[in-house]
Amino acid sequence: MAATLKLFLLLLVVGLVFSWVNASSKKYDFNHCESAVKKWASSSVDEVIEDKHTLRDLLFFLHVPRTGGRTYFHCFLKRLYSKELECPRSYDKLRFDARNSNCRLLVTHDDYSVMSKLPKDKTSVVTILRNPVDRIFSTYEFSIEVAARFLVHPNLSSVSQFSGRIRKKTGVSTLDIWPWKYLVPWMREDLFSRRDARKIKGPNYTWSSDSYNVDDIAMPLHEYINSPIALDIIHNGATFQVAGLTNNSYLAESHEVRHCVQMYHNLGKYVLEVAKKRLDNMLYVGLTQDHKGSATAFASVVGTQIISQIVASNTTSEHSANERSEQSSLFTDSELENDPHQGSDNDQKAISESTKKTKPTVGELMEAYEGCITSLRKTQTSRRTRSLMKIAPVNFTKEARLGVQESVIHRIISLNSLDVELYQYAQEIFVRQHKHTMEQLERQGGILINSYAAPSWINLSTIGILVLLVVVLFVFVNAGRRTSKVKL
């Protein structure tokens, strides 16, 4: 009897497992996936925004990781919006909190699905995209760099205790922010594992000259890009983030759609089209590779509108006007004192003076921005250097990237085919955006500054006029001399 019962239970378990496997396979067969992806795509088509060049009440900065968005936050947005205007949990917190419906700025790694919690008709979206290969390199480097900071601890248990104390003091850390809350612990555990293996192995090992393939120290790049976590979170990450399909999405169907696209690559075209249309509707799209041009475009397209909007808002509110006169700028004293990435006093004064006007020039915004990023980059470089010292001889540099095998580069491109195409499309948008900004500045009588260089014909005209003046002056002088001789 007991034997029969055991056999029955065994058959029942086998049957349940078989049914689950069969159901799972059907759930992700091609027909089901095609239907699910198409259904999501048709429901995700946004209406074309006619006045997309006009800043609306709420600015949502969709920050794709490792694109340079942090500099825009610290050196533009944080200095243009007062702290009271930032949406709760903005940027360096966990996720968007809709409790403050009057907030004006949301800067976050949340994907586009956060728009489901925002008033679409009152929200402008901006983003920055980066060459996919460079973004993958940077993601790999930053994952290891942050993880390496924990190597001062003897073991992972000590790390856990330390992290708990830090959270109690600050309330948030890099380990709470998507996608680093997945990538850093993964790399941290890997670094500790390799360090323990080196202790057992002893000092009898040789280092590779390729910093991206020092197997005894850190996970090699080729291993990193082919891991399941990278396939799910990192590759085509910009496309999935703009589409609202990351594993951090607010959409219930996001996991299924993302999984289907990863299984059947030809379904990616539907996700790509949605992402492209969303870029089309954005107020601004920047490119990391053209940093100066992108920053100037941001100052022209977004920065000047922010200040005009806030100044207009302040003039209609007596309370806001009083606060503004006490502060003498759009930045509170506490922000300037507590911000470790602030620029020099001259940079601060440049912005403060510009905000007293109805609309500052692009040059004034850019001058302050340049001073800020110099300080910010110095801080970041110092911290990066200290982290990499813990995993020497690994040293991530632009020169070291050139030594990575071509097969690894080709693999990165292959795994990020959607991002490659989206980036190319973003480049086209950037050109159109540049043209529109130039036309707008010309209509307003604006003067183009260095980064948004004046067209060559303007330079040639200026030179031509100067040459003509010199020739006329020369002829006039010679004519005067001849006249003098005749009189004599």
Side-chain angles (χ1 to χ4, degrees):
M1 183 67 180
T4 304
L5 181 59
K6 287 181 180 179
L7 179 61
F8 172 76
L9 291 174
L10 179 61
L11 291 174
L12 180 62
V13 171
V14 171
L16 289 173
V17 171
F18 178 79
S19 298
W20 179 80
V21 171
N22 190 44
S24 297
S25 62
K26 285 183 178 180
K27 180 180 179 180
Y28 289 111
D29 66 21
F30 180 77
N31 290 333
H32 172 84
C33 276
E34 184 179 36
S35 175
V37 174
K38 284 184 174 181
K39 181 180 179 181
W40 165 83
S42 63
S43 66
S44 301
V45 177
D46 299 324
E47 295 182 6
V48 176
I49 300 176
E50 298 297 337
D51 60 338
K52 68 176 184 178
H53 298 296
T54 301
L55 175 65
R56 300 184 176 190
D57 294 340
L58 174 62
L59 178 63
F60 167 33
F61 191 156
L62 192 158
H63 181 188
V64 177
R66 309 312 295 165
T67 57
R70 190 173 181 83
T71 60
Y72 280 61
F73 174 67
H74 279 285
C75 300
F76 272 135
L77 298 174
K78 196 172 182 180
R79 303 178 182 285
L80 293 173
Y81 286 99
S82 64
K83 192 171 184 179
E84 292 73 22
L85 294 177
E86 288 184 42
C87 296
R89 297 191 168 291
S90 181
Y91 184 73
D92 56 347
K93 304 298 189 293
L94 306 180
R95 288 166 71 86
F96 172 68
D97 184 342
R99 286 176 298 180
N100 182 2
S101 58
N102 296 319
C103 64
R104 306 279 286 275
L105 172 66
L106 174 64
V107 186
T108 173
H109 284 319
D110 278 327
D111 63 29
Y112 198 90
S113 65
V114 76
M115 286 290 284
S116 63
K117 297 183 175 292
L118 305 176
K120 281 190 176 182
D121 59 331
K122 296 182 179 180
T123 304
S124 293
V125 186
V126 298
T127 195
I128 305 172
L129 295 186
R130 186 176 188 176
N131 179 295
V133 174
D134 290 336
R135 189 181 67 81
I136 298 303
F137 266 107
S138 185
T139 302
Y140 168 77
E141 294 165 2
F142 188 71
S143 301
I144 293 179
E145 175 197 334
V146 176
R149 297 172 191 168
F150 295 93
L151 288 174
V152 295
H153 296 275
N155 50 55
L156 289 172
S157 297
S158 174
V159 170
S160 298
Q161 294 173 6
F162 173 77
S163 299
R165 290 196 298 271
I166 289 295
R167 279 191 176 89
K168 288 180 180 179
K169 289 182 179 180
T170 64
V172 70
S173 75
T174 304
L175 301 180
D176 297 312
I177 304 171
W178 184 90
W180 312 117
K181 63 182 180 181
Y182 298 105
L183 301 180
V184 173
W186 170 42
M187 284 297 96
R188 184 177 63 190
E189 186 174 336
D190 182 79
L191 288 177
F192 273 86
S193 175
R194 292 174 194 269
R195 187 177 71 175
D196 293 341
R198 291 197 305 275
K199 290 178 180 178
I200 296 173
K201 185 177 180 180
N204 298 320
Y205 41 74
T206 57
W207 307 121
S208 168
S209 59
D210 179 2
S211 285
Y212 296 87
N213 191 24
V214 187
D215 187 71
D216 286 322
I217 301 289
M219 182 182 292
L221 177 61
H222 66 84
E223 184 179 336
Y224 181 91
I225 63 174
N226 288 297
S227 63
I229 191 170
L231 294 171
D232 188 42
I233 296 177
I234 302 173
H235 299 310
N236 291 316
T239 303
F240 285 131
Q241 196 168 348
V242 174
L245 294 173
T246 68
N247 68 333
N248 195 44
S249 177
Y250 289 88
L251 301 178
E253 66 271 26
S254 62
H255 174 73
E256 180 183 29
V257 174
R258 186 178 71 257
H259 188 67
C260 284
V261 171
Q262 290 167 343
M263 285 183 66
Y264 307 104
H265 295 168
N266 59 333
L267 295 179
K269 60 186 178 184
Y270 299 107
V271 175
L272 185 61
E273 283 307 306
V274 170
K276 285 181 177 181
K277 289 176 181 177
R278 286 179 174 169
L279 288 185
D280 278 329
N281 276 340
M282 291 185 182
L283 171 64
Y284 163 89
V285 177
L287 303 176
T288 306
Q289 270 64 26
D290 187 357
H291 174 78
K292 193 72 176 290
S294 290
T296 307
F298 190 87
S300 303
V301 176
V302 185
T304 54
Q305 288 195 71
I306 292 172
I307 293 182
S308 294
Q309 189 183 79
I310 295 177
V311 168
S313 176
N314 284 345
T315 56
T316 60
S317 170
E318 183 177 351
H319 175 67
S320 296
N322 289 335
E323 283 188 340
R324 187 163 160 262
S325 64
E326 291 172 4
Q327 295 167 355
S328 76
S329 75
L330 292 179
F331 316 118
T332 63
D333 293 336
S334 59
E335 281 179 325
L336 298 179
E337 291 171 3
N338 296 331
D339 183 5
H341 303 307
Q342 64 180 343
S344 66
D345 292 339
N346 291 334
D347 301 326
Q348 301 294 336
K349 185 177 180 181
I351 301 182
S352 299
E353 289 298 323
S354 71
T355 58
K356 294 178 182 178
K357 304 175 184 178
T358 304
K359 190 172 184 179
T361 65
V362 175
E364 288 171 324
L365 289 177
M366 284 302 298
E367 183 180 355
Y369 173 79
E370 290 293 342
C372 173
I373 62 172
T374 299
S375 175
L376 180 60
R377 285 174 176 168
K378 186 181 296 184
T379 301
Q380 292 173 335
T381 300
S382 175
R383 192 169 191 180
R384 179 186 177 94
T385 300
R386 291 196 303 270
S387 293
L388 293 181
M389 286 176 62
K390 298 178 177 64
I391 52 174
V394 173
N395 187 26
F396 301 130
T397 63
K398 291 181 179 179
E399 292 73 21
R401 288 185 185 184
L402 298 176
V404 174
Q405 295 181 355
E406 283 295 320
S407 59
V408 176
I409 304 297
H410 290 318
R411 178 62 175 163
I412 292 174
I413 295 173
S414 173
L415 290 169
N416 290 273
S417 57
L418 298 180
D419 272 11
V420 169
E421 192 167 341
L422 187 67
Y423 181 71
Q424 291 171 347
Y425 191 72
Q427 290 176 304
E428 296 172 10
I429 292 177
F430 186 76
V431 172
R432 296 197 299 269
Q433 182 178 269
H434 177 94
K435 182 179 179 182
H436 173 80
T437 304
M438 297 275 282
E439 292 173 350
Q440 188 177 44
L441 288 173
E442 288 175 4
R443 284 196 301 270
Q444 296 173 353
I447 299 175
L448 303 179
I449 62 175
N450 294 335
S451 305
Y452 245 34
S456 57
W457 65 267
I458 293 179
N459 296 328
L460 291 174
S461 299
T462 303
I463 294 172
I465 292 172
L466 290 173
V467 171
L468 181 62
L469 288 173
V470 171
V471 171
V472 170
L473 182 63
F474 178 77
V475 171
F476 177 78
V477 171
N478 280 347
R481 288 176 178 173
R482 284 197 296 271
T483 303
S484 298
K485 290 179 181 180
V486 170
K487 288 181 179 179
L488 290 172

